[in-house]
């Protein structure tokens, strides 16, 4: 797409719960336009088109067949991610998908190869590391605020999704579970801040074989649990940093939900007061304590228009800017580069999670075969930063 005035035309497949926030985010940017939407349920996609002013509600096949569509936004359930992404690439379209990237490594490798062969780009959620919180953490590390990083710790203890999601089945089926559902946010943030992971260990258990849906029209219905729901892991990064991570759907409450990065000279603390909706969003506190300070200091994003506060400013509206990763992919197509939230990054994160899942069954330590480029921090000319931000916020209001 060489014409800078032309919008990047997107066809949405998957019109469920998460699609609203994508559509709200993307509506703020003239560079991207969602022109069609589809799902398994035509009534659902018609309603979505009407709600968000999308010109056309159609079938997934009609999106694949439309030569004017540049990119498929794949917001289907995990079990459908690989097939929809493959069909999109085969139809000559770039693709941006929700997480997890795939459900097995061979699908992931095949998608990356297909995109390469066709000269197309793959982007993948999460894009939360575009947010002011993670851009701030990365800046602190790059600036040497904690010296050489040595360790990382992440803990998320929840009691799953059946109390707030009316259709929580897929979270307990193959492709779901706390590791594949929540792990991408934490591991992507870790790779963004600390680089790729090369070796892991893991342990897991499934506390309940059945769980009851406790909200919505299906209240009282039981679901079988096919996946482990309490996952512990040890991580060894290529840089020599070591870490531990707990992801659980079996914890009623905890005082430890937080993310910390340790360095030779200090610690960065990322408190996560609400484990379900905290660290997997774009904003939030960042704290710093070094060998030279006696107290934690808050690391606010200054009131100015620094580029690393972009997404936080944008989601001053609702704390969530899912979709900026797709905007970056559209810019990447134009600029001839890889997107920051790239398929290679998502594949590496999936590969790490797959190794954590293999560890209890096949041996204490598992080597992670893949690696990836570490995404660059946001640049000053990213849409939403600098002079553009007032205009975009005004448009959003
Ligand atoms: N709901 C959340 O809070 C949340 C948050 C972050 C990420 N996600 C991720 O977003 C994705 C979607 O989640 P959701 O909560 O919106 O799910 P959902 O069940 O509400 O919606 C899924 C949509 O995908 C469509 N779909 C499913 N299989 C399809 C297929 N084969 N072809 C075409 N369309 C198909 C369905 O018709 C539906 O429109 C998942 O990967 C999930 O992990 C969800």
């Amino acid at each position: 797409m060489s014409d800078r005035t032309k919008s990047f035309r997107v066809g949405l497949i998957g019109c469920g719960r998460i699609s609203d926030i994508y559509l709200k985010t993307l509506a703020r940017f003239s560079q991207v336009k969602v022109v069609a939407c589809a799902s398994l349920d035509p009534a659902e996609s018609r309603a979505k088109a009407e709600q968000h002013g999308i010109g056309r509600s159609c079938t997934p096949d009609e999106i694949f067949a439309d030569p004017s569509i540049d990119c498929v936004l794949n917001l289907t359930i995990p079990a459908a991610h690989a097939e929809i992404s493959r069909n999109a690439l085969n139809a000559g379209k770039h693709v941006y998908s929700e997480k997890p990237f795939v459900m097995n490594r061979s699908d992931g490798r095949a998608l990356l190869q297909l995109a390469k062969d066709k000269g197309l780009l793959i982007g993948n959620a999460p894009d939360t590391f575009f947010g002011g919180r993670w851009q701030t953490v990365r800046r602190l590390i790059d600036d040497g605020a904690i010296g050489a990083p040595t360790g990382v710790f992440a803990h998320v203890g929840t009691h799953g999704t059946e109390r707030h999601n009316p259709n929580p089945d897929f979270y307990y089926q193959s492709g779901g579970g706390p590791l594949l559902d929540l792990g991408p946010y934490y591991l992507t943030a870790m790779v963004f801040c600390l680089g790729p992971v090369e070796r892991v260990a893991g342990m897991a258990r499934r506390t309940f074989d059945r769980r009851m849906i406790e909200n919505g029209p299906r209240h009282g219905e039981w679901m079988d649990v096919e996946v482990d729901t309490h996952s512990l892991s040890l991580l060894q990064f290529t840089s020599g940093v070591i870490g531990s991570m707990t992801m659980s759907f079996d914890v009623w409450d905890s005082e430890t939900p937080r993310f910390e990065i340790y360095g030779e000279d200090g610690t960065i603390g990322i408190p996560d007061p609400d484990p379900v909706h905290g660290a997997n969003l774009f904003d939030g506190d960042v704290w710093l304590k070094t060998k030279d300070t006696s107290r934690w200091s808050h690391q606010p994003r200054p009131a100015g228009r620094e580029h690393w506060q972009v997404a936080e400013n944008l989601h001053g509206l609702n704390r969530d800017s899912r979709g900026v990763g797709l905007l970056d992919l559209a810019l990447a197509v134009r600029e001839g580069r890889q997107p920051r939230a790239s398929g290679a990054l998502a594949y590496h994160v999936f590969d790490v999670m797959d190794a954590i899942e293999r560890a209890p069954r096949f041996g204490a330590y598992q080597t992670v075969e893949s690696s990836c480029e570490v995404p660059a921090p946001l640049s000053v000319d990213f849409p939403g930063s600098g002079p553009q931000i007032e205009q975009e916020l005004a448009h959003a209001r």
Side-chain angles (χ1 to χ4, degrees):
M1 198 180 68
S2 52
D3 181 356
R4 289 187 157 260
T5 60
K6 178 179 174 281
S7 284
F8 190 67
R9 291 169 65 85
V10 175
L12 164 65
I13 302 182
C15 298
R17 276 166 63 92
I18 204 62
S19 59
D20 286 324
I21 185 61
Y22 274 85
L23 292 167
K24 279 185 199 151
T25 301
L26 294 173
R28 296 171 198 163
F29 296 98
S30 58
Q31 296 90 337
V32 177
K33 188 169 175 55
V34 180
V35 294
C37 66
S39 80
L40 289 181
D41 175 0
E44 180 193 49
S45 47
R46 269 198 304 276
K48 195 67 56 171
E50 197 166 314
Q51 183 189 349
H52 291 275
I54 300 170
R56 186 171 166 221
S57 161
C58 57
T59 65
D61 282 344
E62 286 172 315
I63 287 186
F64 298 135
D66 183 342
S68 79
I69 290 178
D70 299 300
C71 179
V72 166
L73 172 56
N74 177 2
L75 303 184
T76 61
I77 58 171
H81 286 173
E83 188 192 344
I84 298 289
S85 295
R86 188 166 47 245
N87 290 343
L89 292 167
N90 277 324
K93 304 192 186 314
H94 308 285
V95 61
Y96 187 92
S97 171
E98 249 303 335
K99 51 80 195 164
F101 181 42
V102 283
M103 284 174 55
N104 61 65
R105 289 188 298 158
S106 62
D107 275 351
R109 284 193 295 266
L111 285 177
L112 294 183
Q113 189 60 47
L114 183 60
K116 197 172 171 195
D117 292 346
K118 291 191 169 282
L120 295 164
L121 297 185
I122 304 187
N124 211 90
D127 51 4
T128 31
F129 69 89
F130 284 64
R133 169 180 258 191
W134 296 108
Q135 295 288 323
T136 299
V137 173
R138 171 71 181 268
R139 178 180 57 91
L140 288 171
I141 293 171
D142 288 355
D143 287 354
I146 57 166
T150 56
V152 61
F153 168 88
H155 176 109
V156 194
T158 76
H159 218 274
T161 55
E162 60 270 36
R163 290 196 160 192
H164 60 267
N165 189 324
N167 292 305
D169 313 59
F170 73 77
Y171 288 97
Y172 298 103
Q173 294 164 353
S174 179
L179 180 63
L180 287 190
D181 180 49
L182 298 169
Y185 297 107
Y186 295 82
L187 287 166
T188 303
M190 286 183 197
V191 174
F192 176 59
C193 294
L194 301 167
V197 177
E198 67 178 19
R199 198 163 74 121
V200 303
M203 282 195 166
R205 58 172 278 148
R206 186 178 316 174
T207 301
F208 309 100
D209 288 330
R210 294 193 321 152
R211 299 173 79 124
M212 187 197 282
I213 300 174
E214 294 183 63
N215 76 105
R218 296 171 63 202
H219 195 295
E221 199 178 305
W222 288 91
M223 304 172 287
D224 289 335
V225 178
E226 295 173 6
V227 292
D228 289 334
T229 45
H230 187 82
S231 160
L232 308 182
S233 51
L234 297 178
L235 310 161
Q236 183 182 338
F237 292 73
T238 309
S239 64
V241 169
I242 57 173
S244 62
M245 189 171 81
T246 301
M247 300 281 131
S248 184
F249 284 169
D250 292 349
V251 172
W252 282 114
D253 210 346
S254 167
E255 293 295 317
T256 38
R258 58 195 300 114
F259 189 113
E260 290 178 340
I261 296 177
Y262 313 114
E264 287 180 358
D265 298 332
T267 298
I268 297 171
I270 304 138
D272 187 2
D274 175 348
V276 178
H277 299 296
N280 63 17
L281 293 183
F282 287 65
D283 69 344
D285 292 339
V286 175
W287 294 87
L288 173 68
K289 189 167 176 184
T290 72
K291 62 180 184 179
D292 300 320
T293 58
S294 57
R295 294 184 179 186
W296 290 96
S297 66
H298 190 218
Q299 297 293 302
R301 269 63 78 193
R305 296 167 182 165
E306 304 296 333
H307 58 281
W308 37 265
Q309 71 178 145
V310 170
E312 182 159 284
N313 271 351
L314 282 171
H315 72 81
L317 302 167
N318 57 12
R319 306 184 65 215
D320 195 343
S321 297
R322 283 181 172 90
V324 289
L326 169 58
L327 169 68
D328 184 55
L329 182 140
L331 300 175
V333 170
R334 181 188 284 173
E335 293 162 12
R337 61 170 171 85
Q338 286 296 316
R340 287 176 173 82
S342 68
L345 170 61
Y347 177 68
H348 178 61
V349 164
F350 180 81
D351 200 11
V352 173
M353 297 189 295
D354 192 71
I356 293 168
E357 286 192 335
R358 284 197 311 272
R361 285 177 288 135
F362 299 114
Y365 293 104
Q366 292 288 314
T367 301
V368 178
E369 283 172 6
S370 66
S371 188
C372 68
E373 296 278 324
V374 175
L378 292 191
S379 57
V380 283
D381 55 356
F382 191 83
S385 62
Q388 295 186 46
I389 198 156
E390 292 303 329
Q391 197 186 336
E392 272 154 15
L393 282 172
H395 179 53
R397 288 186 191 111

